[in-house]
Amino acid sequence: MANLKKIAVLTSGGDAPGMNACVRAVVRSAINNGLSVNGIYRGYQGMIEGDFIQCEKHTVSNILHRGGTFLKTARSDDFRTKEGRQKAYEQLQANEVDALVVIGGDGSFTGAAILHDEFGIPVMGCPGTIDNDLFGTDFTIGYDTAVNTVVDAVDRIRDTAESHNRLFFVEVMGRDAGLIALRSGIASGAEAVLIPETVTYIDELIETLHTGYLQHKTSAIIIVAEGDDEGGAYEIAEKVGKKFNSYETKVTVLGHIQRGGRPSAYDRVMASRMGNRAVEALLRGETNKMVGIQRNELVLVPFEKAIKHHKQINQELLNLVEILS
Ligand code: F6P
């Protein structure tokens, strides 16, 4: 057992629905294990500035159902410098923090690993990003909610596309991963899903649309992951429009609505499980690992594996888009 008296928890990188559930679980699990807990506002930047809050069980009441993160988050250029990390560590020492739980994505875990390497503080990570682009976990916190948000939006777009016999290109988030696009594309019955993990061929896409048109499809929806190799939704719509104009064409970029909203039950339960497991792992003396979920079982994945490796795209889902479109 590690000799811990106080831990701290922070949220870092792009916010994600379910982060509050994870923070709540870290705080209450730690207190149940006799530990004291600090929350750190605004991620690593708040750590450098000493923006800490003492957390009791009641501090995290009524946040489970709320999107975003009550600890706020920020991207920190200062933390990229040794001086900045030195200040951060001095703040941890001043607040007598013995270990850290970081809820975030690959950049956040990279920072946590460096903090451990330079100062020896034990760190555990919970995967909080809507992109679901971390290796070693089937889901990240926020992904299920974001996919449901996209599906709800695309269902609404489908209503108006069908009314006006239109073709819509809908751009979704994912930075350089297409997992939101792929899952939401299948769930919303998109005619095609364009993702950075596979090469997009404009002529093939036109062929698919033309075939559908000949088969009396009166509308079509193409989901475009923002990092697609052929560009975003506007660029792809323009490239397609040069050779194919059987439908009136519109573009919708969903943007940051994918980052907000009440977390789904799945995200709340998974985030709670991960937060609790992160505390248990620290108590067992673990460090530099992400709590992942594989086939609904929690696993501990070394940071260097979670960050450096790229998640394989599910070929079955890729095939399904074509079969069902
Ligand atoms: O990593 C999460 C994410 O939402 C990406 O999907 C997106 O590209 C990026 O963050 C947007 O970052 P920001 O909110 O800083 O504009």
Side-chain angles (χ1 to χ4, degrees), residues 63-96:
I63 65 167
L64 174 66
H65 62 293
R66 284 170 44 200
T69 161
F70 92 102
L71 286 178
K72 297 189 182 298
T73 178
R75 303 185 199 277
S76 172
D77 290 333
D78 295 343
F79 195 75
R80 293 173 187 277
T81 68
K82 182 67 193 281
E83 296 70 30
R85 293 191 295 270
Q86 179 65 43
K87 276 190 200 147
Y89 182 63
E90 286 164 5
Q91 294 287 8
L92 292 174
Q93 286 184 305
N95 286 276
E96 299 176 314

Side-chain angles (χ1 to χ4, degrees), residues 28-226:
R28 292 190 172 177
S29 172
I31 291 170
N32 280 344
N33 282 284
L35 300 177
S36 171
V37 191
N38 274 174
I40 302 176
Y41 283 115
R42 297 176 296 114
Y44 293 117
Q45 192 58 35
M47 189 189 287
I48 291 169
E49 296 170 7
D51 202 355
F52 291 39
I53 172 181
Q54 178 65 28
C55 288
E56 305 303 341
K57 283 199 167 187
H58 64 77
T59 313
V60 290
S61 295
N62 299 318
I63 65 167
L64 174 66
H65 62 293
R66 284 170 44 200
T69 161
F70 92 102
L71 286 178
K72 297 189 182 298
T73 178
R75 303 185 199 277
S76 172
D77 290 333
D78 295 343
F79 195 75
R80 293 173 187 277
T81 68
K82 182 67 193 281
E83 296 70 30
R85 293 191 295 270
Q86 179 65 43
K87 276 190 200 147
Y89 182 63
E90 286 164 5
Q91 294 287 8
L92 292 174
Q93 286 184 305
N95 286 276
E96 299 176 314
V97 172
D98 302 316
L100 196 55
V101 175
V102 173
I103 304 167
D106 50 4
S108 308
F109 295 166
T110 301
I114 294 170
L115 200 64
H116 172 79
D117 296 346
E118 291 177 347
F119 303 103
I121 185 161
V123 293
M124 283 297 295
C126 291
T129 170
I130 65 167
D131 297 356
N132 195 25
D133 60 347
L134 283 162
F135 186 85
T137 186
D138 296 341
F139 287 89
T140 54
I141 297 167
Y143 175 64
D144 181 62
T145 304
V147 168
N148 285 313
T149 299
V150 171
V151 169
D152 180 66
V154 173
D155 286 353
R156 296 165 188 269
I157 291 172
R158 176 76 71 180
D159 291 345
T160 181
E162 193 51 27
S163 303
H164 287 266
N165 293 355
R166 283 170 168 169
L167 161 60
F168 270 81
F169 291 85
V170 180
E171 183 176 307
V172 299
M173 282 184 160
R175 198 172 44 189
D176 48 19
L179 291 114
I180 293 174
L182 184 53
R183 201 171 185 88
S184 61
I186 291 170
S188 57
E191 274 63 31
V193 176
L194 310 181
I195 58 177
E197 292 87 349
T198 59
V199 177
T200 295
Y201 297 102
I202 297 294
D203 289 344
E204 271 185 25
L205 175 59
I206 291 171
E207 185 55 38
T208 302
L209 291 166
H210 185 60
T211 304
Y213 183 76
L214 295 179
Q215 291 167 353
H216 312 299
K217 259 188 187 288
T218 53
S219 68
I221 291 181
I222 311 297
I223 305 280
V224 181
E226 61 178 327

